[in-house]
Amino acid sequence: SALQPQLAGTIEAGGLQPLLDALAAMGLIRPQLADQLRPVVTLLSQPREDGVRRAALPITIQDSRLSLGPAPITRLPRIDWGG
């Protein structure tokens, strides 16, 4: 609604532990949420052919909320299209 972005897909990402640290440091997620997500990220991450551990995670953006799987991560700012 209101021409806000929506997304549904899967990402394959490595370096998720440092990403959680960075998101918490920037205030985009609560430090407690980062701590709760760490074991999940570790469990889901598998070593790939190049030796880097990566996780395939469902990602959605809907109603100005970014979620990984069923876990809401952060609210996104609404886009004002100037109309």
CSV table of all heavy atoms in Angstrom, one decimal, residues 15-43:
chain,number,residue,atom,x,y,z
A,15,GLY,N,29.4,-14.1,6.9
A,15,GLY,CA,29.8,-12.9,7.8
A,15,GLY,C,28.6,-12.4,8.5
A,15,GLY,O,28.5,-11.2,8.8
A,16,LEU,N,27.7,-13.3,8.9
A,16,LEU,CA,26.5,-12.8,9.6
A,16,LEU,C,26.7,-12.4,11.0
A,16,LEU,O,26.0,-11.5,11.5
A,16,LEU,CB,25.4,-13.9,9.5
A,16,LEU,CG,24.8,-14.1,8.1
A,16,LEU,CD1,23.9,-15.3,8.1
A,16,LEU,CD2,24.2,-12.9,7.5
A,17,GLN,N,27.7,-13.1,11.7
A,17,GLN,CA,28.0,-12.7,13.1
A,17,GLN,C,28.5,-11.2,13.1
A,17,GLN,O,27.9,-10.4,13.9
A,17,GLN,CB,29.0,-13.6,13.7
A,17,GLN,CG,28.6,-15.0,13.8
A,17,GLN,CD,27.4,-15.3,14.8
A,17,GLN,OE1,27.1,-14.4,15.6
A,17,GLN,NE2,26.9,-16.5,14.8
A,18,PRO,N,29.4,-10.8,12.3
A,18,PRO,CA,29.8,-9.4,12.2
A,18,PRO,C,28.7,-8.5,11.8
A,18,PRO,O,28.6,-7.3,12.3
A,18,PRO,CB,31.0,-9.3,11.2
A,18,PRO,CG,31.5,-10.7,11.2
A,18,PRO,CD,30.3,-11.6,11.4
A,19,LEU,N,27.8,-8.9,10.9
A,19,LEU,CA,26.7,-8.1,10.5
A,19,LEU,C,25.8,-7.8,11.7
A,19,LEU,O,25.3,-6.7,11.9
A,19,LEU,CB,25.9,-8.8,9.4
A,19,LEU,CG,24.6,-8.1,9.0
A,19,LEU,CD1,24.9,-6.8,8.4
A,19,LEU,CD2,23.8,-9.0,8.0
A,20,LEU,N,25.5,-8.9,12.5
A,20,LEU,CA,24.7,-8.6,13.7
A,20,LEU,C,25.3,-7.6,14.6
A,20,LEU,O,24.6,-6.7,15.2
A,20,LEU,CB,24.5,-10.0,14.5
A,20,LEU,CG,23.6,-11.0,13.8
A,20,LEU,CD1,23.6,-12.3,14.6
A,20,LEU,CD2,22.2,-10.5,13.6
A,21,ASP,N,26.6,-7.7,14.8
A,21,ASP,CA,27.4,-6.7,15.6
A,21,ASP,C,27.2,-5.3,15.1
A,21,ASP,O,26.9,-4.3,15.8
A,21,ASP,CB,28.8,-7.0,15.7
A,21,ASP,CG,29.1,-8.3,16.5
A,21,ASP,OD1,28.3,-8.7,17.3
A,21,ASP,OD2,30.2,-8.9,16.2
A,22,ALA,N,27.3,-5.2,13.7
A,22,ALA,CA,27.2,-3.8,13.1
A,22,ALA,C,25.8,-3.3,13.2
A,22,ALA,O,25.6,-2.1,13.5
A,22,ALA,CB,27.6,-3.9,11.6
A,23,LEU,N,24.8,-4.1,13.0
A,23,LEU,CA,23.4,-3.7,13.1
A,23,LEU,C,23.1,-3.2,14.5
A,23,LEU,O,22.4,-2.2,14.7
A,23,LEU,CB,22.4,-4.8,12.7
A,23,LEU,CG,22.4,-5.1,11.2
A,23,LEU,CD1,21.6,-6.4,11.0
A,23,LEU,CD2,22.0,-4.0,10.3
A,24,ALA,N,23.6,-3.9,15.5
A,24,ALA,CA,23.4,-3.5,16.9
A,24,ALA,C,24.1,-2.2,17.2
A,24,ALA,O,23.6,-1.3,17.9
A,24,ALA,CB,23.8,-4.6,17.8
A,25,ALA,N,25.4,-2.1,16.7
A,25,ALA,CA,26.1,-0.9,17.0
A,25,ALA,C,25.5,0.4,16.4
A,25,ALA,O,25.6,1.4,16.9
A,25,ALA,CB,27.6,-1.1,16.5
A,26,MET,N,24.9,0.2,15.2
A,26,MET,CA,24.2,1.3,14.5
A,26,MET,C,22.8,1.6,15.1
A,26,MET,O,22.2,2.5,14.7
A,26,MET,CB,24.1,1.0,13.0
A,26,MET,CG,25.5,1.0,12.3
A,26,MET,SD,25.3,0.9,10.5
A,26,MET,CE,24.7,-0.8,10.4
A,27,GLY,N,22.4,0.8,16.0
A,27,GLY,CA,21.0,1.0,16.6
A,27,GLY,C,19.9,0.5,15.7
A,27,GLY,O,18.8,0.8,16.0
A,28,LEU,N,20.2,-0.3,14.7
A,28,LEU,CA,19.1,-0.8,13.8
A,28,LEU,C,18.4,-2.0,14.4
A,28,LEU,O,17.3,-2.3,14.0
A,28,LEU,CB,19.7,-1.1,12.4
A,28,LEU,CG,20.3,0.1,11.7
A,28,LEU,CD1,20.9,-0.3,10.4
A,28,LEU,CD2,19.1,1.1,11.4
A,29,ILE,N,19.1,-2.7,15.3
A,29,ILE,CA,18.5,-3.8,16.0
A,29,ILE,C,18.9,-3.7,17.5
A,29,ILE,O,20.0,-3.1,17.8
A,29,ILE,CB,18.8,-5.2,15.5
A,29,ILE,CG1,20.2,-5.5,15.6
A,29,ILE,CG2,18.2,-5.4,14.1
A,29,ILE,CD1,20.6,-7.0,15.2
A,30,ARG,N,18.1,-4.2,18.4
A,30,ARG,CA,18.5,-4.2,19.8
A,30,ARG,C,19.6,-5.2,20.0
A,30,ARG,O,19.6,-6.3,19.4
A,30,ARG,CB,17.3,-4.6,20.7
A,30,ARG,CG,16.1,-3.6,20.6
A,30,ARG,CD,14.9,-4.1,21.5
A,30,ARG,NE,14.8,-5.5,21.7
A,30,ARG,CZ,14.1,-6.3,21.0
A,30,ARG,NH1,13.5,-5.9,19.9
A,30,ARG,NH2,14.1,-7.6,21.3
A,31,PRO,N,20.6,-4.9,20.9
A,31,PRO,CA,21.6,-5.8,21.2
A,31,PRO,C,21.1,-7.2,21.7
A,31,PRO,O,21.7,-8.2,21.4
A,31,PRO,CB,22.4,-5.1,22.3
A,31,PRO,CG,22.2,-3.6,22.1
A,31,PRO,CD,20.8,-3.6,21.6
A,32,GLN,N,20.0,-7.2,22.4
A,32,GLN,CA,19.4,-8.4,22.9
A,32,GLN,C,19.0,-9.3,21.7
A,32,GLN,O,19.1,-10.5,21.7
A,32,GLN,CB,18.2,-8.2,23.8
A,32,GLN,CG,18.6,-7.5,25.1
A,32,GLN,CD,18.6,-5.9,24.9
A,32,GLN,OE1,18.5,-5.4,23.8
A,32,GLN,NE2,18.7,-5.2,26.0
A,33,LEU,N,18.4,-8.7,20.7
A,33,LEU,CA,18.0,-9.4,19.5
A,33,LEU,C,19.2,-10.0,18.8
A,33,LEU,O,19.2,-11.2,18.3
A,33,LEU,CB,17.2,-8.5,18.5
A,33,LEU,CG,16.8,-9.2,17.2
A,33,LEU,CD1,15.9,-10.4,17.5
A,33,LEU,CD2,16.0,-8.2,16.3
A,34,ALA,N,20.3,-9.2,18.7
A,34,ALA,CA,21.5,-9.7,18.1
A,34,ALA,C,22.0,-11.0,18.8
A,34,ALA,O,22.4,-12.0,18.2
A,34,ALA,CB,22.6,-8.7,18.0
A,35,ASP,N,22.0,-10.9,20.2
A,35,ASP,CA,22.4,-12.0,21.0
A,35,ASP,C,21.5,-13.3,20.8
A,35,ASP,O,22.0,-14.4,20.7
A,35,ASP,CB,22.4,-11.7,22.5
A,35,ASP,CG,23.5,-10.7,22.8
A,35,ASP,OD1,24.5,-10.5,22.0
A,35,ASP,OD2,23.4,-10.0,23.9
A,36,GLN,N,20.2,-13.0,20.6
A,36,GLN,CA,19.3,-14.1,20.4
A,36,GLN,C,19.4,-14.8,19.0
A,36,GLN,O,19.2,-15.9,18.8
A,36,GLN,CB,17.8,-13.6,20.5
A,36,GLN,CG,17.5,-13.2,21.9
A,36,GLN,CD,16.1,-12.5,22.0
A,36,GLN,OE1,15.6,-12.1,21.0
A,36,GLN,NE2,15.6,-12.3,23.2
A,37,LEU,N,19.9,-13.9,18.0
A,37,LEU,CA,20.0,-14.5,16.6
A,37,LEU,C,21.3,-15.2,16.4
A,37,LEU,O,21.4,-16.0,15.5
A,37,LEU,CB,19.9,-13.3,15.6
A,37,LEU,CG,18.5,-12.7,15.5
A,37,LEU,CD1,18.6,-11.5,14.6
A,37,LEU,CD2,17.5,-13.7,14.9
A,38,ARG,N,22.3,-14.9,17.3
A,38,ARG,CA,23.6,-15.6,17.1
A,38,ARG,C,23.6,-17.1,17.0
A,38,ARG,O,24.1,-17.7,16.0
A,38,ARG,CB,24.6,-15.1,18.2
A,38,ARG,CG,25.2,-13.8,17.9
A,38,ARG,CD,26.2,-13.4,19.1
A,38,ARG,NE,26.0,-12.0,19.3
A,38,ARG,CZ,26.3,-11.0,18.5
A,38,ARG,NH1,26.8,-11.3,17.3
A,38,ARG,NH2,26.2,-9.8,18.8
A,39,PRO,N,23.0,-17.8,17.9
A,39,PRO,CA,22.9,-19.2,17.8
A,39,PRO,C,22.1,-19.7,16.6
A,39,PRO,O,22.5,-20.8,16.0
A,39,PRO,CB,22.3,-19.7,19.1
A,39,PRO,CG,21.9,-18.5,19.9
A,39,PRO,CD,22.4,-17.3,19.2
A,40,VAL,N,21.1,-19.0,16.2
A,40,VAL,CA,20.3,-19.4,15.0
A,40,VAL,C,21.2,-19.3,13.8
A,40,VAL,O,21.2,-20.2,12.9
A,40,VAL,CB,19.1,-18.5,14.9
A,40,VAL,CG1,18.3,-18.8,13.6
A,40,VAL,CG2,18.2,-18.7,16.1
A,41,VAL,N,21.9,-18.2,13.7
A,41,VAL,CA,22.8,-18.0,12.5
A,41,VAL,C,23.9,-19.0,12.5
A,41,VAL,O,24.2,-19.6,11.4
A,41,VAL,CB,23.4,-16.5,12.6
A,41,VAL,CG1,24.6,-16.4,11.6
A,41,VAL,CG2,22.4,-15.5,12.3
A,42,THR,N,24.5,-19.4,13.6
A,42,THR,CA,25.5,-20.4,13.7
A,42,THR,C,24.9,-21.8,13.2
A,42,THR,O,25.5,-22.5,12.5
A,42,THR,CB,26.1,-20.5,15.1
A,42,THR,OG1,26.7,-19.3,15.4
A,42,THR,CG2,27.1,-21.6,15.2
A,43,LEU,N,23.7,-22.1,13.7
A,43,LEU,CA,23.1,-23.3,13.4
A,43,LEU,C,22.8,-23.4,11.9
A,43,LEU,O,22.9,-24.5,11.3
A,43,LEU,CB,21.8,-23.5,14.2
A,43,LEU,CG,21.0,-24.8,13.9
A,43,LEU,CD1,21.7,-26.0,14.4
A,43,LEU,CD2,19.6,-24.7,14.6
